[in-house]
Amino acid sequence: MHEIVTLQLGQRANYLATHFWNLQVMPISPGAQLWSNPYQESYFTYNENEESTVDHDVHFRPGVGVDGSETYTPRTVIYDLKGGFGTLRRYNALYELTEDSNAGQGLWDGQEIVQRQTPIQPSDYQRSLDLGTQAPRLTSESVRYWSDYNRVFYHPRSIVQLNEYELNSQTMPFEDWNVGEDLFHNLDKEHDLIDRDVRPLLEECDQLRALQLFSGSDDAWGGFAARYIERLKDEYGKKSIWVWAIEDGTRSQRHHQFKKDTNKARSLYSISPQASLYAPIIDLPHKLPSYLNVDRQSEWQKTALIASAIETVTLPSRLRPYQHFEASLAGEDGTHTIFELQTSINKVNDGHTKKSSNEEGSPKAETEFDIDFAYDGEHQGAHIFNQVQVTRGNEPEQEGEPTGERDIGHLRKLRLYNSEAMLQIYHTPLSLPMLDSFPHDMFPTPKTGTGIDVFSALTASTRTAQRIKALSATAARMVSVDEREDMINGLGEIREFYETGWSSGSDDEDD
């Protein structure tokens, strides 16, 4: 078994991760369905003689519920601010609180005055899941918190509320990168967060494959994540670390935008050298294809689109036939760890899509995608170092000789000799399940009883050098003098990995 343990840092990360877990959703116990619609558990097989192509143990941990029944809960730790969890309780139907709720008064024998906040009422969607009835259609208005569309149970240890800050506070906003950094230091000094929150999950793993983090990168969560990853790297230095770094894509006032860009620069400078995969994700790109219907004011809708790409591109790490996803990310030399996330929806269904190849019949890296979550720009002129492609649903036609009939080692050497991109292509017939927790009209309507075909990729290219140059220019104006030199030099060193041999040098002088 090759497990992946996940950390979720902050509100936007939890919106995104909730969609991710819903797509992996597991029943309470083998042979029993958790909710009413069998298609929504399409990754799970109920016939004991049939093995699912998805290895659920990668992301889910077995356990025992309060009634002694077997359970499966995500291998995850969820951090959010006070007020960010909505209706999600730490203890749930699988792990009820068994301690006496009316504990003794101890040394105090006077009258107690208990003050309680008004409880948040569960959404109609959650009520229907609890009752096992037909779920109502979710809307942007009905989703108040990420827990409103959550379909899984979590272990009580997975829920960690940070009471030092309150969600959407105007007096103490959780926006500045250094605020998150300081919060981590203070909490870690008091509790040792690795020992308290992460190590219990890691000790349950037979063979840990990777640590996966969903986190904001342009606010205080970037600083929190940077110091967290630094500790993880010290403890588990040889393990892969995948970071999905979420950036706010909404337009803001000039000064506030400078602050967000500076936070991005700090996150990239501090996190990317320690990560095996660092993927900046704009929530949401300004350029979207006309066939999508996305409410840009709804975190629920925006993160549903992002989750469809992330769940697709990481699917090989959970499929039983594929065991070397990390090697695909490393490419030829492992120096390129900053990846662009790109995707197209239903492009392999139109009967016209073909994968292009060169004169030798070797497939080429893809440059045309409908959605670019990384830099929201053009690909023209960019050199691609490494690309991992994942196609789900119908497989597109391949021009030239199929790669499966040729020696992979020879192809990699040929690519290196011809200065071509390292390329790994995966395909699975599993379509993206259309859950009732997804916006019902976001994607092109699939055929009844089917899912959505998705083509996603992770790409390392020279566009990253251009992005780092822009962030460096902003950071040079915004950060303090003490921090400026180290950051600008560090970003410059990272940038060199994404331009060496492909830049004319005419625009390299930043001073």
Side-chain angles (χ1 to χ4, degrees), residues 44-104:
F44 193 78
T45 56
Y46 301 99
N47 185 339
E48 61 181 12
N49 297 321
E50 181 184 359
E51 183 179 63
S52 171
T53 57
V54 176
D55 185 354
H56 304 289
D57 290 332
V58 170
H59 278 295
F60 284 79
R61 55 176 296 279
V64 179
V66 68
D67 61 352
S69 62
E70 295 183 9
T71 64
Y72 281 95
T73 52
R75 302 181 189 273
T76 190
V77 183
I78 307 172
Y79 293 92
D80 214 331
L81 306 181
K82 182 179 180 181
F85 287 89
T87 60
L88 186 69
R89 296 185 300 156
R90 185 172 188 180
Y91 293 90
N92 50 56
L94 298 186
Y95 299 93
E96 291 288 357
L97 184 62
T98 57
E99 291 84 354
D100 184 4
S101 59
N102 295 317

Side-chain angles (χ1 to χ4, degrees), residues 224-267:
F224 191 91
R227 300 290 77 84
Y228 212 131
I229 292 170
E230 187 175 69
R231 286 276 282 113
L232 290 172
K233 198 69 176 175
D234 289 340
E235 295 278 344
Y236 309 98
K238 294 184 179 180
K239 300 301 179 182
S240 296
I241 297 179
W242 305 344
V243 182
W244 306 100
I246 310 168
E247 307 172 359
D248 185 5
T250 58
R251 301 184 185 279
S252 56
Q253 295 180 352
R254 183 180 179 88
H255 178 75
H256 192 59
Q257 186 62 50
F258 279 159
K259 177 187 253 187
K260 290 196 296 184
D261 287 344
T262 303
N263 288 339
K264 294 177 197 175
R266 287 190 171 111
S267 294

Side-chain angles (χ1 to χ4, degrees), residues 119-135:
I120 301 172
Q121 295 301 314
S123 65
D124 292 339
Y125 183 82
Q126 288 296 326
R127 290 194 189 98
S128 71
L129 296 183
D130 292 338
L131 296 173
T133 59
Q134 182 66 36

Side-chain angles (χ1 to χ4, degrees), residues 152-369:
V152 301
F153 289 129
Y154 299 99
H155 191 280
R157 287 201 307 262
S158 291
I159 310 300
V160 184
Q161 178 171 285
L162 306 182
N163 294 312
E164 290 76 7
Y165 289 87
E166 190 167 358
L167 183 67
N168 299 325
S169 172
Q170 298 297 318
T171 56
M172 294 178 62
F174 200 62
E175 295 179 351
D176 191 79
W177 201 90
N178 294 326
V179 169
E181 184 180 37
D182 292 341
L183 177 61
F184 177 84
H185 283 313
N186 294 335
L187 292 174
D188 194 48
K189 185 184 302 182
E190 182 177 356
H191 301 291
D192 193 330
L193 297 184
I194 300 295
D195 277 347
R196 187 191 71 177
D197 300 335
V198 181
R199 202 179 303 279
L201 284 174
L202 299 181
E203 289 178 347
E204 295 175 345
C205 300
D206 292 335
Q207 187 174 347
L208 179 68
R209 166 179 284 184
L211 292 154
Q212 173 179 244
L213 285 90
F214 295 94
S215 177
S217 64
D218 60 352
D219 55 11
W221 287 110
F224 191 91
R227 300 290 77 84
Y228 212 131
I229 292 170
E230 187 175 69
R231 286 276 282 113
L232 290 172
K233 198 69 176 175
D234 289 340
E235 295 278 344
Y236 309 98
K238 294 184 179 180
K239 300 301 179 182
S240 296
I241 297 179
W242 305 344
V243 182
W244 306 100
I246 310 168
E247 307 172 359
D248 185 5
T250 58
R251 301 184 185 279
S252 56
Q253 295 180 352
R254 183 180 179 88
H255 178 75
H256 192 59
Q257 186 62 50
F258 279 159
K259 177 187 253 187
K260 290 196 296 184
D261 287 344
T262 303
N263 288 339
K264 294 177 197 175
R266 287 190 171 111
S267 294
L268 190 145
Y269 163 64
S270 301
I271 299 175
S272 65
Q274 305 181 79
S276 312
L277 160 66
Y278 183 89
I281 298 173
I282 301 174
D283 179 20
L284 197 64
H286 297 120
K287 299 177 181 179
L288 291 178
S290 59
Y291 60 72
L292 291 179
N293 182 22
V294 184
D295 180 359
R296 292 183 176 273
Q297 304 304 313
S298 170
E299 286 293 339
W300 165 62
Q301 292 212 20
K302 293 190 296 182
T303 52
L305 179 60
I306 299 171
S308 68
I310 291 179
E311 204 276 337
T312 295
V313 83
T314 59
L315 193 54
S317 67
R318 301 183 291 281
L319 293 177
R320 296 184 191 275
Y322 303 121
Q323 300 297 329
H324 304 290
F325 183 67
E326 293 84 351
S328 302
L329 291 174
E332 182 64 26
D333 54 12
T335 58
H336 303 108
T337 61
I338 302 175
F339 286 85
E340 307 148 31
L341 176 65
Q342 300 139 333
T343 192
S344 297
I345 307 295
N346 268 358
K347 296 299 284 185
V348 296
N349 267 344
D350 57 17
H352 301 290
T353 303
K354 290 186 178 182
K355 305 296 290 178
S356 59
S357 59
N358 60 20
E359 294 83 354
E360 300 290 336
S362 175
K364 296 174 60 177
E366 184 66 39
T367 59
E368 297 297 329
F369 293 90

